């Protein structure tokens, strides 16, 4: 539930928070934020109504004719080298997809990670550079155009996390072994972790061996400062600050707010708790502190003036995950396959129409939020009236976060690849749009072997490449599908 970081579990994946913990410890949470001053200035100059209307029409146009174009396979029955571990040769589901430049990276639950070129549509290489390497997560570092892999190794009984940074250019040349190790001085055994914070450009590590947290610069990986306090139970990252949650005392929890840049303590205070009640969560978003205890109201505390807002426990029930939207000063909650948008006055802003998530466990690897934080792309339950879904295929829904309106939908009955030239029926269009296809010559991609209905079955990972306007999905068979105009 971290606001700006990505915390990765060393066992199969929780979601989009990228903190890597050296043992299975599922977590859910925040999505990587993007700071773009040009876009902020543009939004400042354009009225919100005009901007919102343009965004909606632009989104409908962008996703109008998206259809299944390519299929990639991460599975190699021979393994990526002769000495590979037996379980790495087994076909397994895709748990994470990352795209950078013209390369699509797909990570399977087995620990095999493959890189595919969108230019040649061929597999470039596997990212596993040793026979016993099991990759647990990926992080694209846009600061230096590199991919960070977080792995465990059989030689060390899969007990310690190891990080490696590899330039995208080297991977494009098929040289995944040209990278270099990161954080070698840190002992990242359980419950140690590494967390990548894209919002602030920082990396947080925790060495359980000596109970020391360290903060590194994401640009060059130099260490900035360390925090040595055995009373720290948890750290939450937010833009510009870190929240330190200390050991719970009788009737209160001590909290500290630190500057993310140099570790300076900005504020220390105690937050009163109901005795003998479990704490469901404590979250920090800029100056707002969210605290929820079992069967109690949600408390929203402004740490600047300690003004307290309460939301009834019947209105706000404990979600299974949060995503903080820094651009819009809002946050998403996920509960029972439903998504909702709240503001920090405790008011429900948006309930999404036609947006029942496929996975009940809120696997946010099946959710993508655009960098402007205006659209959410999710894998959802298909309509009951979709004749091609047959109960096992879902749909990919594109919805507006501020209005909850479904702008477009990729489903089995409306995005079938066209096999013959000259076809321009509305079946090639995504629902939510209108009009005919512009080109009268559209052919199905030769490499695609799955039908659209099959490609929409049991999607286990989803990623949207905003530059290429392409959606990539992975399924339980280890296949990656490209949905494009």
């Amino acid at each position: 539930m971290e606001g700006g970081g990505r915390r990765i579990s060393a066992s199969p994946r929780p979601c989009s928070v990228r903190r890597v913990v050296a043992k299975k410890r599922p977590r859910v949470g925040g999505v990587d934020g993007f700071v773009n001053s040009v876009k902020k200035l543009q939004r400042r100059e354009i009225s919100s109504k005009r901007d919102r209307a343009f965004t909606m029409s632009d989104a409908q146009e962008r996703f109008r004719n998206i259809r299944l174009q390519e299929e990639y396979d991460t599975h190699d029955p021979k393994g990526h080298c002769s000495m590979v571990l037996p379980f790495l040769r087994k076909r397994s589901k895709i748990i994470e997809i990352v795209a950078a430049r013209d390369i699509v990276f797909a990570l399977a639950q087995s620990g095999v990670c493959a890189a595919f070129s969108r230019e040649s549509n061929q597999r470039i290489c596997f990212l596993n550079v040793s026979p016993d390497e099991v990759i647990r997560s990926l992080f694209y570092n846009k600061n230096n155009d590199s991919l960070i892999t977080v792995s465990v190794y059989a030689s060390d009984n899969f007990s310690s996390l190891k990080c490696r940074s590899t330039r995208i250019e080297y991977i494009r040349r098929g040289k995944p072994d040209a990278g270099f190790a990161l954080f070698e001085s840190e002992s990242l055994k359980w419950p140690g972790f590494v967390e990548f914070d894209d919002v602030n450009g920082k990396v947080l590590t925790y060495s359980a061996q000596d109970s020391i947290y360290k903060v590194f610069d994401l640009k060059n990986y130099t260490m900035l400062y360390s925090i040595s306090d055995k009373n720290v139970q948890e750290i939450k990252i937010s833009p510009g600050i870190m929240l330190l949650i200390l050991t719970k005392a009788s009737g209160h929890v001590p909290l500290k707010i630190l500057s993310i840049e140099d570790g300076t303590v900005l504020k220390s205070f105690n937050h009163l708790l109901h005795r003998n009640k479990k704490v469901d969560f404590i979250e920090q978003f800029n100056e707002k502190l969210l605290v929820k205890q079992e069967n109690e109201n949600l408390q929203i505390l402004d740490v600047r003036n300690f003004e307290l807002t309460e939301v009834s426990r019947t209105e706000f029930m404990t979600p299974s995950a949060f995503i903080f939207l820094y651009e819009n000063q809002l946050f998403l909650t996920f509960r029972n396959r439903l998504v909702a948008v709240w503001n920090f006055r405790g008011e429900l802003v948006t309930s999404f129409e036609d947006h029942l998530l496929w996975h009940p466990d809120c696997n946010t690897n099946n959710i993508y939020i655009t960098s402007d934080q205006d659209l959410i792309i999710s894998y959802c339950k298909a309509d009951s009236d979709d004749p091609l879904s047959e109960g096992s295929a879902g749909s990919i829904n594109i919805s507006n976060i501020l209005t909850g309106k479904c702008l477009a939908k990729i489903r089995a009955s409306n995005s079938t690849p066209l096999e013959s030239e000259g076809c321009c029926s509305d079946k090639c269009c995504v629902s939510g749009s209108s009009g005919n296809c512009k080109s009268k010559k559209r052919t199905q991609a030769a490499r695609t072997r799955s039908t659209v209905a099959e490609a929409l079955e049991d999607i286990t990972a989803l990623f949207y490449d905003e530059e290429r306007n392409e959606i990539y999905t992975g399924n339980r068979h280890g296949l990656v599908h490209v949905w494009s105009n």
Side-chain angles (χ1 to χ4, degrees):
M1 297 186 199
E2 291 66 36
R6 179 126 199 211
R7 184 181 296 188
I8 314 151
S9 170
S11 261
R13 229 46 144 235
C15 65
S16 66
V17 170
R18 280 294 174 260
R19 175 178 290 188
V20 190
V21 184
K23 184 183 177 182
K24 185 174 182 180
R25 180 184 165 196
R27 303 186 58 88
V28 285
V31 159
D32 299 337
F34 297 82
V35 179
N36 188 320
S37 57
V38 175
K39 289 179 181 176
K40 283 184 178 179
L41 287 170
Q42 287 174 338
R43 281 197 295 275
R44 195 176 297 165
E45 295 301 322
I46 302 173
S47 75
S48 60
K49 289 185 179 179
R50 287 178 56 199
D51 188 44
R52 185 178 299 181
F54 173 78
T55 298
M56 292 175 69
S57 61
D58 173 60
Q60 289 178 325
E61 187 64 32
R62 267 187 288 159
F63 296 102
R64 182 190 296 274
N65 296 322
I66 279 192
R67 65 172 62 77
L68 180 61
Q69 300 282 7
E70 296 286 346
E71 179 177 285
Y72 304 142
D73 194 350
T74 60
H75 180 242
D76 184 347
K78 298 177 184 177
H80 53 274
C81 67
S82 59
M83 302 289 290
V84 72
L85 296 168
F87 66 82
L88 291 175
R89 296 196 191 101
K90 293 182 179 179
R91 184 177 288 280
S92 69
K93 69 178 181 180
I94 304 299
I95 56 172
E96 191 173 344
I97 297 174
V98 172
R101 306 296 183 183
D102 55 352
I103 302 176
V104 178
F105 300 95
L107 175 61
Q109 191 173 46
S110 63
V112 167
C113 181
F116 300 92
S117 168
R118 280 298 292 124
E119 299 302 316
S120 67
N121 288 314
Q122 300 293 320
R123 186 172 62 214
I124 301 171
C125 61
F126 288 102
L127 274 292
N128 309 66
V129 296
S130 71
D132 70 334
E133 180 182 8
V134 175
I135 297 176
R136 281 307 180 205
S137 196
L138 312 172
F139 179 82
Y140 173 58
N141 187 355
K142 63 180 184 291
N143 294 283
N144 52 29
D145 197 29
S146 64
L147 186 80
I148 298 175
T149 50
V150 182
S151 306
V152 291
Y153 293 82
S155 56
D156 139 36
N157 201 27
F158 308 110
S159 65
S160 299
L161 300 170
K162 306 290 183 185
C163 303
R164 186 175 66 250
S165 174
T166 310
R167 298 272 301 184
I168 297 297
E169 187 54 41
Y170 292 143
I171 296 171
R172 185 179 284 111
R173 295 180 202 162
K175 297 180 178 179
D177 55 351
F180 58 90
L182 301 176
F183 320 122
E184 290 182 284
S185 61
E186 305 310 298
S187 174
L188 301 179
K189 293 181 185 241
W190 186 85
F193 62 79
V194 58
E195 178 172 342
F196 300 99
D197 169 26
D198 201 34
V199 174
N200 297 296
K202 302 291 187 290
V203 182
L204 174 67
T205 64
Y206 174 59
S207 173
Q209 186 175 316
D210 48 17
S211 300
I212 293 180
Y213 298 86
K214 292 182 181 177
V215 176
F216 297 81
D217 192 320
L218 195 50
K219 297 182 182 67
N220 52 25
Y221 310 115
T222 56
M223 195 193 89
L224 301 176
Y225 56 92
S226 63
I227 301 168
S228 181
D229 188 338
K230 295 185 185 299
N231 290 319
V232 175
Q233 297 296 300
E234 178 63 290
I235 291 183
K236 302 295 179 80
I237 296 178
S238 191
I241 57 175
M242 291 193 300
L243 173 70
L244 270 58
I245 304 171
L246 306 179
T247 305
K248 182 180 172 184
S250 177
H252 72 272
V253 57
L255 302 167
K256 289 183 181 180
I257 297 176
L258 275 59
S259 164
I260 191 75
E261 295 302 325
D262 56 14
T264 303
V265 177
L266 303 176
K267 186 164 290 199
S268 296
F269 60 100
N270 296 328
H271 184 75
L272 296 178
L273 297 175
H274 296 275
R275 293 176 184 270
N276 305 319
K277 291 245 179 160
K278 182 171 74 76
V279 176
D280 288 342
F281 62 79
I282 299 177
E283 298 291 335
Q284 176 82 19
F285 178 90
N286 293 345
E287 70 278 1
K288 303 294 186 181
L289 184 73
L290 278 61
V291 181
K292 177 79 168 64
Q293 286 186 262
E294 188 176 27
N295 298 322
E296 293 294 336
N297 293 343
L298 169 68
Q299 296 182 323
I300 303 176
L301 179 71
D302 190 317
V303 299
R304 295 170 303 180
N305 54 21
F306 292 99
E307 181 180 321
L308 184 66
T309 302
E310 290 209 11
V311 185
S312 167
R313 64 188 181 188
T314 58
E315 292 179 40
F316 187 96
M317 289 173 280
T318 302
S320 56
F322 289 93
I323 293 178
F324 290 134
L325 305 176
Y326 302 110
E327 295 289 326
N328 298 322
Q329 298 292 302
L330 301 168
F331 63 95
L332 298 177
T333 59
F334 298 82
R335 180 182 167 85
N336 298 335
R337 289 194 167 119
L338 297 176
V339 188
V341 184
W342 301 78
N343 63 28
F344 287 92
R345 295 186 297 276
E347 300 165 339
L348 180 65
V349 176
T350 308
S351 293
F352 289 90
E353 65 177 23
D354 191 17
H355 201 101
L356 187 66
L357 297 177
W358 179 274
H359 294 282
D361 62 348
C362 182
N363 182 346
T364 48
N365 274 348
N366 284 308
I367 295 166
Y368 185 95
I369 292 178
T370 55
S371 56
D372 280 341
Q373 300 183 352
D374 56 347
L375 301 178
I376 179 171
I377 303 171
S378 315
Y379 181 49
C380 296
K381 287 280 189 180
D383 296 333
S384 56
D385 62 351
D386 190 346
L388 297 182
S389 293
E390 298 178 349
S392 59
S395 63
I396 300 170
N397 291 23
I398 298 96
S399 300
N400 184 287
I401 287 175
L402 296 179
T403 66
K405 181 177 175 57
C406 184
L407 303 180
K409 184 184 294 189
I410 301 171
R411 54 182 182 169
S413 61
N414 69 6
S415 53
T416 304
L418 301 180
E419 297 181 0
S420 58
E421 292 188 352
C423 174
C424 199
S425 73
D426 59 2
K427 285 187 177 181
C428 67
C429 297
V430 175
S431 66
S433 61
S434 60
N436 296 321
C437 303
K438 294 177 181 177
S439 170
K440 292 190 176 181
K441 290 188 177 181
R442 298 189 182 274
T443 58
Q444 181 179 8
R447 293 182 184 83
T448 302
R449 294 178 292 278
S450 298
T451 65
V452 172
E454 289 169 341
L456 288 171
E457 284 183 10
D458 199 12
I459 288 175
T460 54
L462 179 151
F463 186 92
Y464 174 54
D465 188 324
E466 299 187 46
E467 291 184 8
R468 298 181 66 96
N469 191 38
E470 295 181 334
I471 297 173
Y472 309 124
T473 58
N475 65 16
R476 60 188 173 90
H477 301 296
L479 300 176
V480 177
H481 294 104
V482 178
W483 307 82
S484 173
N485 288 320

